[in-house]
Amino acid sequence: MKKNDWILIAVVLAVSAVFLGVYFFRPQQKDGAAVVTIDGEVFGSWPLSEDRTVEIGDGNRLVIKDGKADMVWADCPDKLCVNQKAISREGESIICLPNKVVVSITGGEERELDAVT
Ligand SMILES: [Zn+2]
């Protein structure tokens, strides 16, 4: 019986180690968020880690997918915002001048690396 006890303890320790390992070495979450403002007023902010579609007022549609925010549709005449690339890093922004909509990223990944490069 004593031998079995040791096996049990070993199993418990091994399981604990696995859980701790998963906890500490899980992939880094991108904790950046897309902040949307309309005419200077904060409309809302959404984490880049969750895929979603955001209707910004009546004139813009933002899609957050795979950790990036992308303006996929707008009713503005120039469509400059739609043509901008998806953004994912702090300091990047998509601006729709006609609709006064600004999408910017806060707290994105690789902040220190960006500062160096
Ligand atoms: Zn636009």
Side-chain angles (χ1 to χ4, degrees), residues 33-88:
V35 180
V36 177
T37 62
I38 302 176
D39 200 9
E41 299 277 314
V42 174
F43 177 69
S45 68
W46 296 267
L48 294 175
S49 55
E50 295 172 27
D51 293 359
R52 76 179 66 219
T53 300
V54 179
E55 302 288 344
I56 304 169
D58 298 322
N60 295 78
R61 182 176 300 135
L62 184 76
V63 166
I64 297 173
K65 196 170 187 296
D66 300 329
K68 293 178 179 176
D70 193 16
M71 193 77 82
V72 295
W73 175 85
D75 69 353
C76 58
D78 57 24
K79 298 287 189 293
L80 287 175
C81 52
V82 179
N83 289 331
Q84 286 192 46
K85 289 180 180 175
I87 55 174
S88 62

Side-chain angles (χ1 to χ4, degrees), residues 64-115:
I64 297 173
K65 196 170 187 296
D66 300 329
K68 293 178 179 176
D70 193 16
M71 193 77 82
V72 295
W73 175 85
D75 69 353
C76 58
D78 57 24
K79 298 287 189 293
L80 287 175
C81 52
V82 179
N83 289 331
Q84 286 192 46
K85 289 180 180 175
I87 55 174
S88 62
R89 297 186 177 192
E90 182 162 35
E92 290 183 317
S93 58
I94 297 174
I95 300 167
C96 181
L97 278 178
N99 292 349
K100 297 179 181 174
V101 168
V102 177
V103 182
S104 56
I105 302 298
T106 59
E109 58 179 334
E110 296 169 23
R111 198 167 158 186
E112 289 174 21
L113 277 176
D114 278 359

Side-chain angles (χ1 to χ4, degrees), residues 22-40:
V22 169
Y23 181 79
F24 282 112
F25 298 109
R26 69 191 169 198
Q28 286 279 312
Q29 280 286 320
K30 297 170 185 171
D31 55 358
V35 180
V36 177
T37 62
I38 302 176
D39 200 9

